[in-house]
Amino acid sequence: MTGRIPEELVDTIRAQADIVDVVSDFVTLKKTGKNYSGLCPFHNEKTPSFSVNPERQIFHCFGCGKGGNVFTFLMEHEKMTFIEAVRNVAGRLNIVLPDTSRGQGESSEAESLARVTQFAARFFHEQLLSCPTDSPVREYVARRGLSDTTIHTFLIGYAPEGWDTLIHAARRQDIGADWLEKAGLAKAGNQRTYDAFRNRLMFPILGPGGRVVGFGGRALSDEDQPKYLNSPESPIYHKSREVYGLYQSREAIRRVGSVVIVEGYMDMLSLYQHGIDTAIATCGTALTRDHARLVGRYAREVTLVYDSDTAGTRAALRGIEPLVEAGLWTRILQLPAGEDPDTFVRKHSGEAFRKRLGHPDSIADFVADQFDLSQADVREEALKTLAGLINKTADLRHRERYIEESYARLPVPQSLLAPILRRPKTEHAQPPGSQKTRFEDPERELVRLMLQDVEIAFIAEELVHPDEFTGDAYRTIFQQRLDSLKGDGASGPAALIDQARDEETARIISELTASEDTGADPESRARDYIARIKRDRLKREMAELMKKIHLAQETGDDSLGETLAALQQLKREEQALRRTAE
Ligand SMILES: [Zn+2]
């Protein structure tokens, strides 16, 4: 499973890894007791049920059930192969791996694509840096006011004119045109394949982990259409999920807990240059639920600042819904007519923008501004729009505030708004560790104790036979736990996850180890579970024998006596078990 990286080295890397540190690159974690918790990056939620246990080096989500160790996390979240995940963690620890020159089959498609986009981003960047200052692209950059620091920080580049500059450069690095095509950087024509981006200023889009996943390309002159060309969807780029600038701004956004969402690459960069370092841009698409979810991992408050034209206003109105739905406290900053964030900061100042940012409009203000409230029918439409948004709000306190603001802003009696507001749906998500199965499954509970306590593992080995388990997964973990304790490799739960034969088994291991067992006297509980497992096994066997006895009575089979004797024996065993349990 581990390919050419020696097992002991994988054990070392796993043992030294800091899962909290790795997960923190993607999820904002808060310390809660011994563990850390945050919003799950694998499913949509408003209250955290995602838990990271630093002591056991595992993560688990009590909402969707995803769980595993540091490698599993990177494999699931960043779509890495096992070897790539090991390499990634080794890199963070400055552990040098033996050079297992990577063959074709060894990397995942995602990883290969990421290497291609990374190469292209570097290539475009170098092209821009090597252009003379009087070249059209340099003049364009100067006109837009992009500083050298910004160009470096955001790896901004230039896709040269000509049809195959990138293709040639890639070939020199052994990257075939087919890979460029897969990454959306080349297109196949009738005669030959050609560069997809030509004579454009290039904005690499980084995923939350810092990998280049796609590009936005701005035409240098207005005759070139479209004005913005974006990477097509690929296995690593989904425009409904990526936002521009998040990777570079994530620390600042986390620090203040709020984010400014703008429409364009230039808006985001311009704000950044003017000292507003908490902005991100949607990459030429409407704001989606996935965007809202992603943003929600870093901030709880959002201010939308869209162009103040009809299209911008409409986009902002549409953008509110996924944000409130994700439980984000949402405001809108309306700029003077005809302005966008880029033109505004350049004309006025970062300070002027910041001031306005301090007093954004409420959703009610914004909606009200879009309607002529002097007309009764229009007023009703405004009300419906607003109620529609408030009804989507996930957070109850937000909901109360949005309603108050609506009453304050709209010239309507409460009796009009109240009926359109539905009662809120309440969330049923449970906080980490509060999950309790209604009926304790003794196999499950025994395995849980075995994973947490080596002594109990050995007690169980003495008293239970694997065949006495009815649950395949629990039997497997039971066996695996004992095998690894007796082997000479790593044997903790995090290591077991890598050795697990399938995803489901790994998931159960992470689930059973994620929450600390706090019950008293684990050893006597373990003995009790063992007794229950054995009793259950005896009951099953007795039921089988009873069936045989009935059959023998009907058919006059002469095995009846033998079977009855066997049943007697089982009954005695059962009674003995009951006595020891009391
Ligand atoms: Zn989840």
Side-chain angles (χ1 to χ4, degrees):
M1 190 179 181
T2 52
R4 271 169 272 168
I5 304 177
E7 199 76 47
E8 310 83 73
L9 198 48
V10 173
D11 287 346
T12 310
I13 294 164
R14 195 193 303 105
Q16 290 186 17
D18 180 0
I19 191 169
V20 174
D21 178 58
V22 174
V23 172
S24 291
D25 268 3
F26 310 95
V27 182
T28 303
L29 293 174
K30 254 201 200 120
K31 197 155 197 309
T32 42
K34 271 188 183 175
N35 294 346
Y36 289 78
S37 67
L39 294 171
C40 178
F42 300 108
H43 86 284
N44 195 1
E45 63 175 1
K46 285 127 205 165
T47 48
S49 43
F50 179 81
S51 167
V52 180
N53 182 323
E55 192 188 329
R56 303 191 191 284
Q57 286 293 307
I58 54 151
F59 73 94
H60 189 79
C61 173
F62 292 91
C64 66
K66 273 236 175 357
N69 60 20
V70 67
F71 303 140
T72 328
F73 182 85
L74 289 170
M75 288 160 74
E76 290 273 344
H77 196 271
E78 292 297 280
K79 305 278 171 269
M80 293 181 183
T81 61
F82 180 74
I83 292 180
E84 286 156 8
V86 173
R87 282 188 177 283
N88 182 295
V89 177
R92 293 164 187 259
L93 297 167
N94 295 318
I95 294 177
V96 182
L97 292 182
D99 185 29
T100 58
S101 58
R102 317 179 189 198
Q104 278 291 339
E106 221 178 285
S107 301
S108 60
E109 186 181 33
E111 184 72 6
S112 303
L113 276 174
R115 278 209 295 277
V116 173
T117 47
Q118 186 67 35
F119 157 78
R122 283 262 148 231
F123 172 77
F124 292 143
H125 185 59
E126 278 153 24
Q127 290 292 312
L128 178 61
L129 297 183
S130 65
C131 281
T133 42
D134 61 348
S135 61
V137 64
R138 276 296 195 172
E139 275 171 5
Y140 179 82
V141 164
R143 202 160 62 240
R144 299 302 301 255
L146 291 175
S147 72
D148 286 348
T149 316
T150 306
I151 289 173
H152 279 105
T153 309
F154 291 86
L155 206 65
I156 294 168
Y158 173 56
E161 279 180 298
W163 292 88
D164 49 14
T165 335
L166 178 67
I167 291 175
H168 275 298
R171 195 172 297 149
R172 283 194 294 275
Q173 301 293 316
D174 274 338
I175 298 171
D178 52 333
W179 277 104
L180 291 177
E181 219 185 306
K182 269 188 210 165
L185 290 160
K187 281 183 172 170
N190 284 335
Q191 305 293 325
R192 58 186 183 136
T193 308
Y194 58 93
D195 290 351
F197 293 91
R198 300 176 308 279
N199 195 26
R200 282 175 182 269
L201 189 64
M202 299 297 287
F203 304 100
I205 300 161
L206 274 55
R211 300 197 295 190
V212 177
V213 293
F215 294 90
R218 172 69 162 89
L220 297 188
S221 70
D222 288 340
E223 293 92 73
D224 277 348
Q225 289 297 329
K227 194 159 88 172
Y228 278 96
L229 186 63
N230 288 293
S231 286
E233 300 272 312
S234 81
I236 57 169
Y237 180 60
H238 308 277
K239 61 181 174 180
S240 65
R241 282 188 226 154
E242 306 293 349
V243 292
Y244 183 67
L246 181 61
Y247 183 71
Q248 290 88 346
S249 303
R250 68 193 197 289
E251 291 307 330
I253 292 171
R254 248 181 213 161
R255 205 166 43 242
V256 298
S258 72
V259 62
V260 177
I261 302 182
V262 297
E263 283 180 284
Y265 302 96
M266 282 308 302
D267 293 325
M268 188 270 144
L269 294 172
S270 211
L271 289 180
Y272 186 87
Q273 288 197 161
H274 285 83
I276 294 117
D277 58 358
T278 54
I280 55 158
T282 49
C283 310
T285 51
L287 197 73
T288 63
R289 284 199 176 89
D290 286 332
H291 288 143
R293 246 178 79 189
L294 176 63
V295 166
R297 289 193 229 147
Y298 299 83
R300 301 315 295 158
E301 291 180 18
V302 174
T303 310
L304 278 177
V305 195
Y306 280 14
D307 300 0
S308 75
D309 55 20
T310 326
T313 306
R314 217 176 291 142
L317 202 50
R318 271 200 313 268
I320 296 171
E321 187 172 312
L323 293 173
V324 297
E325 223 176 356
L328 294 161
W329 176 243
T330 307
R331 310 312 251 165
I332 298 99
L333 172 58
Q334 302 188 73
L335 296 173
E339 303 248 34
D340 60 37
D342 175 37
T343 58
F344 185 90
V345 279
R346 273 144 64 72
K347 191 161 151 192
H348 306 280
S349 65
E351 201 37 51
F353 188 88
R354 200 181 284 285
K355 255 188 205 149
R356 282 180 177 244
L357 210 50
H359 309 281
D361 285 324
S362 67
I363 295 176
D365 287 329
F366 179 68
V367 171
D369 285 348
Q370 314 312 319
F371 295 90
D372 175 6
L373 298 178
S374 63
Q375 290 178 298
D377 53 333
V378 180
R379 205 156 55 221
E380 192 170 329
E381 204 193 322
L383 267 181
K384 272 192 187 143
T385 307
L386 193 55
L389 292 172
I390 294 175
N391 281 335
K392 295 276 181 189
T393 308
D395 188 298
L396 291 186
R397 281 158 312 162
H398 292 175
R399 189 183 145 86
E400 290 307 314
R401 284 172 71 186
Y402 289 142
I403 292 174
E404 267 168 41
E405 288 170 348
S406 305
Y407 289 144
R409 182 62 168 80
L410 290 176
V412 290
Q414 296 203 3
S415 57
L416 254 178
L417 192 54
I420 355 182
L421 288 170
R422 273 186 285 114
R423 287 188 62 77
K425 285 181 280 173
T426 43
E427 258 204 59
H428 294 290
Q430 295 181 346
S434 77
Q435 208 95 341
K436 275 265 176 333
T437 34
R438 264 190 308 145
F439 304 102
E440 270 185 337
D441 177 346
E443 295 181 9
R444 178 186 168 86
E445 296 309 315
L446 177 63
V447 169
R448 186 204 295 279
L449 290 173
M450 286 175 70
L451 285 168
Q452 299 189 0
D453 190 328
V454 179
E455 283 305 310
I456 289 177
F458 286 122
I459 291 173
E461 183 189 26
E462 248 176 68
L463 299 174
V464 200
H465 192 272
D467 288 348
E468 294 186 278
F469 279 77
T470 51
D472 272 346
Y474 299 131
R475 183 189 306 118
T476 310
I477 300 170
F478 172 87
Q479 195 83 68
Q480 212 194 321
R481 172 69 165 148
L482 292 170
D483 290 349
S484 78
L485 282 174
K486 285 183 259 173
D488 43 7
S491 60
L496 286 186
I497 284 169
D498 288 333
Q499 296 153 16
R501 55 166 187 186
D502 56 37
E503 241 175 67
E504 179 60 9
T505 315
R507 191 191 64 75
I508 294 174
I509 296 172
S510 86
E511 189 185 334
L512 293 180
T513 27
S515 50
E516 198 65 29
D517 176 83
T518 47
D521 201 356
E523 189 184 322
S524 79
R525 274 188 297 143
R527 287 184 187 276
D528 182 46
Y529 295 135
I530 291 169
R532 278 164 62 187
I533 292 170
K534 291 188 156 311
R535 261 204 324 263
D536 288 348
R537 193 254 306 160
L538 286 168
K539 277 186 196 149
R540 283 193 307 277
E541 285 178 14
M542 290 196 288
E544 277 304 308
L545 285 181
M546 280 310 276
K547 257 194 235 160
K548 262 195 183 173
I549 291 168
H550 288 311
L551 201 71
Q553 280 170 335
E554 277 169 31
T555 57
D557 194 319
D558 51 8
S559 70
L560 185 60
E562 220 174 283
T563 319
L564 278 170
L567 183 66
Q568 266 328 105
Q569 176 59 31
L570 289 180
K571 274 197 177 141
R572 274 196 296 274
E573 273 183 49
E574 208 236 334
Q575 277 160 359
L577 261 177
R578 210 177 290 168
R579 271 197 302 278
T580 49
E582 277 154 8

